[in-house]
Amino acid sequence: MTDGKIPTVRLGDDGPEVGVQGLGCMGMSFAYGPTDAGESRATLERALELGVTLFDTADAYGAGENEKFLSPFFKAHRDEVVIATKFALSIPPDDPTRRVIRNDRPYIRQAVEASLKRLDVDVIDLYYMHRRDVNVPMEDTVAAMAELVREGKVKHLGLSEVTADELRTAQSVHPIAALQSEWSLFSRDIEANVVPTARELGVTLVPYSPLGRGFLTGSFADADKDLTADDFRRHQPRFTGENASANVALLDPIRTVAEAHGASLGQIALAWVQQQASVHGLPLVPIPGTRKVSRVEENTAATRIELTKGELELLEPIAAKVAGDRYADMTFTSAGRE
């Protein structure tokens, strides 16, 4: 590491080199309550200074508003950043718990053109299928995505929340550079089948919500009591009521490790995820989301923390004790179909 920048890792076998930690940009204009556009822009600039080069968005975030918000930053730093966006998912504004998913070819072609326009770029570096529509054969979806690569609209393909078998099928049609799935001290279901398959196929893991949507940082203890009415975490089972009360107690071993390192809870949670690269023998790029300069500095510093074998053992039991699912409807996740 030089000049305080984080190390780099490659996406897939022939994808771009990116910082070993990326930035999830969803919260800058969607899902997590009120935002400060100026602070978010400053966060983007500081992240890039620290070596973060993979910036993650999606057409579903604010119905395209997130892509529009990021566009000026991407244009100003086009040769320095790797733009990742997604298609397939829409969230009705009147029901934030509902998901509408499409993976068909006409929709994909419509979606990519809309994202290119909002982002105001000629090509998307990494284009993800956000969620799986089980009514469309995986081969057909990936074939349609591969057309976009041949046409120069997209450089590399990614998938999100797919099972090991779905990943294997996709890879047989076109190389997959990255697989995005939730992976944290609270969410480890992908380790059974998805992670070994990604390792075998040379696919880089991109863990989203590595901080448990902020819960692992200790920034809130009960979504209903601590978060604003428009924060979508109020609809996630593990963050409210009795589940939240039970899960708060699971932060105690993280706090013990944090005190030993003079670090924050969030830094230990992130260090644990980063260290899974060596534990499981595959490249990974977590994308913690933040809209504050101080947090992106804190998060990137976690790449320099190495947990001991004893600390890893202390943290190991946490996930099995978590109360509540990640989502109210788990059918849209890989765990819901494994």
Side-chain angles (χ1 to χ4, degrees):
M1 188 183 303
T2 59
D3 301 325
K5 289 191 174 184
I6 61 176
T8 61
V9 68
R10 186 173 298 281
L11 295 179
D13 289 334
D14 60 356
E17 288 271 343
V18 299
V20 75
Q21 186 181 110
L23 181 63
C25 301
M26 179 179 76
M28 292 181 176
S29 58
F30 174 72
Y32 291 140
T35 62
D36 182 323
E39 179 73 2
S40 291
R41 284 191 287 268
T43 300
L44 293 167
E45 296 288 349
R46 183 60 177 144
L48 187 59
E49 290 175 354
L50 292 167
V52 173
T53 54
L54 178 63
F55 293 85
D56 184 88
T57 182
D59 60 3
Y61 301 160
E65 289 303 313
N66 198 251
E67 291 177 322
K68 290 179 183 178
F69 174 78
L70 294 168
S71 176
F73 170 73
F74 290 156
K75 285 179 68 68
H77 301 283
R78 189 62 188 97
D79 295 335
E80 304 169 79
V81 301
V82 173
I83 301 172
T85 192
K86 315 178 193 73
F87 73 90
L89 174 66
S90 61
I91 303 170
D94 60 339
D95 185 359
T97 65
R98 187 166 164 250
R99 302 288 185 268
V100 178
I101 300 173
R102 286 184 63 181
N103 287 176
D104 57 282
R105 183 179 180 277
Y107 181 83
I108 293 170
R109 299 197 68 84
Q110 170 189 323
V112 75
E113 295 296 342
S115 284
L116 286 166
K117 183 176 181 179
R118 285 188 294 264
L119 292 165
D120 195 15
V121 296
D122 296 325
V123 60
I124 294 165
D125 300 312
L126 177 61
Y127 200 43
Y128 285 103
M129 181 192 78
H130 203 162
R131 290 292 185 271
R132 171 91 170 97
D133 178 357
V134 296
N135 298 308
V136 178
M138 178 63 81
E139 297 93 327
D140 293 354
T141 298
V142 179
M145 295 171 71
E147 288 179 8
L148 306 181
V149 177
R150 290 193 294 272
E151 294 169 7
K153 300 178 189 296
V154 169
K155 290 184 180 179
H156 303 281
L157 302 185
L159 303 171
S160 180
E161 288 286 359
V162 297
T163 67
D165 287 344
E166 290 165 347
L167 176 59
R168 197 177 296 279
T169 298
Q171 184 79 348
S172 72
V173 177
H174 189 279
I176 302 300
L179 169 60
Q180 187 173 131
S181 288
E182 186 163 353
W183 197 3
S184 73
L185 280 167
F186 266 25
S187 301
R188 299 180 57 180
D189 48 79
I190 65 169
E191 293 176 24
N193 299 307
V194 174
V195 170
T197 302
R199 180 179 61 238
E200 174 194 338
L201 299 177
V203 177
T204 298
L205 252 295
V206 179
Y208 74 84
S209 297
L211 294 171
R213 302 196 183 277
F215 195 86
L216 290 167
T217 70
S219 60
F220 73 98
D222 186 315
D224 283 336
K225 297 176 182 177
D226 302 335
L227 303 179
T228 57
D230 56 349
D231 194 306
F232 93 124
R233 289 171 289 186
R234 291 165 62 105
H235 302 285
Q236 294 185 297
R238 61 179 49 165
F239 301 140
T240 59
E242 294 181 357
N243 287 345
S245 298
N247 292 334
V248 164
L250 300 179
L251 301 184
D252 288 344
I254 306 174
R255 190 169 287 109
T256 298
V257 177
E259 290 172 355
H261 285 266
S264 67
L265 293 176
Q267 284 179 315
I268 297 306
L270 272 177
W272 180 89
V273 175
Q274 299 276 180
Q275 208 156 325
Q276 298 312 298
S278 57
V279 171
H280 291 276
L282 83 168
L284 59 83
V285 183
I287 49 169
T290 187
R291 50 201 180 193
K292 294 183 178 180
V293 170
S294 61
R295 291 300 187 195
V296 82
E297 292 173 341
E298 177 182 323
N299 292 346
T300 53
T303 63
R304 299 189 287 273
I305 297 175
E306 184 170 353
L307 304 178
T308 67
K309 180 181 178 182
E311 289 168 341
L312 290 173
E313 290 174 350
L314 181 64
L315 300 174
E316 181 66 24
I318 291 175
K321 299 178 181 178
V322 174
D325 284 330
R326 299 194 267 135
Y327 298 99
D329 183 351
M330 288 289 287
T331 62
F332 301 123
T333 69
S334 59
R337 297 191 305 278
E338 282 282 9

